[in-house]
Amino acid sequence: MTEQGVRWTAEQVLALAPDDASRKAGSRLGGAGPWSQIGGSASGSVWGLCKGSGSTPYRTVVDLAGPAYKCSCPSRKFPCKHALGLLLLWSAEGVGEPGEAPDWAAQWLEDRAAKVARPVAGAAGPVDEEGARKRAERRAARVGAGVTELEQRLADLVRGGLAGQEQTGYAGWEETAARMVDAQAPGLAARVRELGTIPSCGPGWPARMLEEAALLHLLDRAWTGVAGLPEQLAATVRSRVGLPASGEGEAVRDRWLVLAQYDSVSPDGRLTTRRIWLRGLQGGRPALVLDFGPPGRPPGLSLPVGLVLEAEVRFRPGSAGLRADLGERHSAALAGTEVPPGVSTGAALEAYGTALLEDPWLESWPVVLGPVVPIPGELGWQLADVEGTCALPVPLTGAGSRSRSGLWQLAALSGGDPVTVFGECGHRGFTPLTAWQPGSPEPVALS
């Protein structure tokens, strides 16, 4: 069942597809072009008319709580490409304000609600709870089979050695990723695709590939023993594999400062991910809000850096308590008037190490450094404490690296003086995203 109020990612939607042909067809229908009368309800359903080859559009409706699908097309696949396309459109930008379903959708939803609510003789609970349990068991079995197959692929990689990966190319990894999508494990699919791109990332790639393969192996092993893990760590493992979050997380109301916003594109170019970092001004808690855009379209959510909004943020289980969804806003957004307090480079590393206990696959942790001085050098850039006793390197290659133009922008902003910098602190160093000049509350987003 889906968690009410939480949109799926495109990969989680495509994991529902019965075959590769349905995934491709659903992706083509994931834009607003062929659709009309698109709508949704607050109770968790979406509907729309999709123009096909005939004169009569196909009527498509999805009950997100199942999920369950109804479409007037003649396809025998379940879900059909129209249901997948509608879900992709919903996952990318929603369907507007909740409204009343048209008659053709309302009738099916009412019939389904009545069927779900009807008790069964001798059953301890409603039919949908038993169905949800069986669906969860079937998906767990499919994920388990995918994990077994992936472990064999990783074993073959280590047995054959890494030296030939540059010549082998990316195609084999894309095929493995597709198999993980078939196994309804989109999180594993994403990590496999990232693994396949490493041989083209420049010097030092064999070490990075071995590191990422080890982390993927650790995730496989964690899934195999997920039933015996502590609750929070188990939730993290399920999230990393790609299962929708179950249960509701903590809701926190605060005045949230937008620290950074940037986009990244998946290795296959089919999905744009927007990362928005927030920080509670009262509680000091960081939050990561993600939004997604289908091919050729940017994500719908955009929050300018430096904005302050009073809102409720609901944190998802697992993911070291970072991943969150932006809820109801309680006042108009205003420009920030204060610079967040910074910590030393040593404290930043300590915070990242603590977070790794909750999520061993966490690539970085949000940190405000300050005061620090950007220092260019022959071996790369560093951000050094003002005392000059400790510094963090700034990665220039690989995931999360920054362009040299952004670093020179930071150096120009500093002019040799200490600055406050927000960024992501990880095992490769510190990636600066936003900076504040001394004496000015206006943030500067680094390119």
Side-chain angles (χ1 to χ4, degrees):
M1 296 176 66
T2 65
E3 183 181 355
Q4 186 173 352
V6 176
R7 279 188 274 165
W8 292 348
T9 68
E11 292 222 350
Q12 287 171 334
V13 170
L14 293 174
L16 299 170
D19 52 40
D20 189 56
S22 296
R23 278 193 296 275
K24 293 178 180 178
S27 297
R28 289 195 296 270
L29 294 174
W35 292 94
S36 61
Q37 294 189 26
I38 304 171
S41 69
S43 61
S45 58
V46 291
W47 54 80
L49 297 178
C50 186
K51 182 175 175 55
S53 57
S55 59
T56 303
Y58 295 121
R59 298 175 172 180
T60 308
V61 56
V62 179
D63 180 359
L64 300 171
Y69 324 92
K70 175 68 175 180
C71 186
S72 62
C73 75
S75 174
R76 295 185 179 181
K77 295 182 179 181
F78 188 79
C80 67
K81 63 183 181 182
H82 304 100
L84 290 170
L86 181 60
L87 282 173
L88 285 172
L89 186 62
W90 163 74
S91 71
E93 59 184 29
V95 291
E97 295 297 324
E100 184 176 350
D103 292 342
W104 54 268
Q107 186 60 56
W108 180 77
L109 290 170
E110 289 174 5
D111 292 344
R112 173 171 164 75
K115 181 179 179 181
V116 167
R118 189 181 303 128
V120 177
V127 175
D128 70 324
E129 291 186 3
E130 177 67 15
R133 183 186 64 81
K134 291 182 178 179
R135 285 192 295 271
E137 289 178 352
R138 288 196 297 269
R139 181 165 188 178
R142 294 185 68 175
V143 173
V147 164
T148 300
E149 182 176 345
L150 180 55
E151 281 293 280
Q152 184 60 53
R153 180 74 169 89
L154 294 175
D156 292 343
L157 172 68
V158 175
R159 188 181 300 112
L162 303 179
Q165 287 300 306
E166 282 185 303
Q167 289 73 36
T168 302
Y170 178 74
W173 292 108
E174 177 58 35
E175 181 182 351
T176 303
R179 297 285 294 169
M180 295 305 102
V181 173
D182 289 340
Q184 293 188 299
L188 292 180
R191 298 189 75 92
V192 167
R193 290 190 176 103
E194 291 178 3
L195 185 67
T197 63
I198 292 178
S200 61
C201 288
W205 69 264
R208 292 197 297 275
M209 192 168 197
L210 187 59
E211 291 172 359
E212 294 303 322
L215 286 172
L216 191 52
H217 169 68
L218 179 65
L219 184 54
D220 288 345
R221 298 290 294 175
W223 172 261
T224 302
V226 68
L229 296 178
E231 182 179 352
Q232 279 297 105
L233 185 56
T236 296
V237 171
R238 295 187 185 98
S239 174
R240 291 293 183 182
V241 167
L243 273 64
S246 60
E248 292 190 357
E250 180 185 5
V252 178
R253 179 172 172 174
D254 204 334
R255 294 175 61 245
W256 299 93
L257 171 65
V258 181
L259 292 172
Q261 173 180 288
Y262 68 93
D263 295 349
S264 60
V265 181
S266 61
D268 58 8
R270 293 187 296 182
L271 184 69
T272 298
T273 301
R274 175 163 293 167
R275 298 167 68 89
I276 301 175
W277 284 110
L278 306 175
R279 179 189 176 106
L281 293 180
Q282 275 80 45
R285 183 169 182 174
L288 174 61
V289 177
L290 299 183
D291 200 22
F292 305 91
R297 302 179 63 184
L301 181 62
S302 181
L303 297 176
V305 175
L307 202 68
V308 174
L309 58 155
E310 184 176 355
E312 183 178 90
V313 167
R314 182 171 294 278
F315 289 86
R316 297 191 182 191
S319 302
L322 279 181
R323 180 74 190 278
D325 297 289
L326 189 61
E328 182 182 358
R329 305 186 191 186
H330 299 282
S331 65
L334 302 171
T337 58
E338 56 188 274
V339 179
V343 300
S344 67
T345 55
L349 286 175
E350 185 177 344
Y352 175 53
T354 301
L356 285 175
L357 296 175
E358 297 185 36
D359 185 353
W361 303 274
L362 192 67
E363 293 186 357
S364 60
W365 183 258
V367 175
V368 178
L369 285 182
V372 290
V373 179
I375 303 174
E378 294 182 359
L379 300 180
W381 286 71
Q382 294 182 332
L383 292 174
D385 292 331
V386 290
E387 295 84 2
T389 57
C390 188
L392 287 174
V394 177
L396 289 175
T397 60
S401 63
R402 304 305 294 165
S403 66
R404 287 190 178 271
S405 62
L407 293 175
W408 283 113
Q409 183 184 9
L410 177 60
L413 189 70
S414 164
D417 293 328
V419 291
T420 300
V421 184
F422 168 75
E424 299 171 353
C425 182
H427 60 285
R428 293 191 179 91
F430 185 88
T431 300
L433 299 173
T434 306
W436 289 263
Q437 200 171 18
S440 173
E442 184 177 353
V444 176
L446 304 173
S447 58

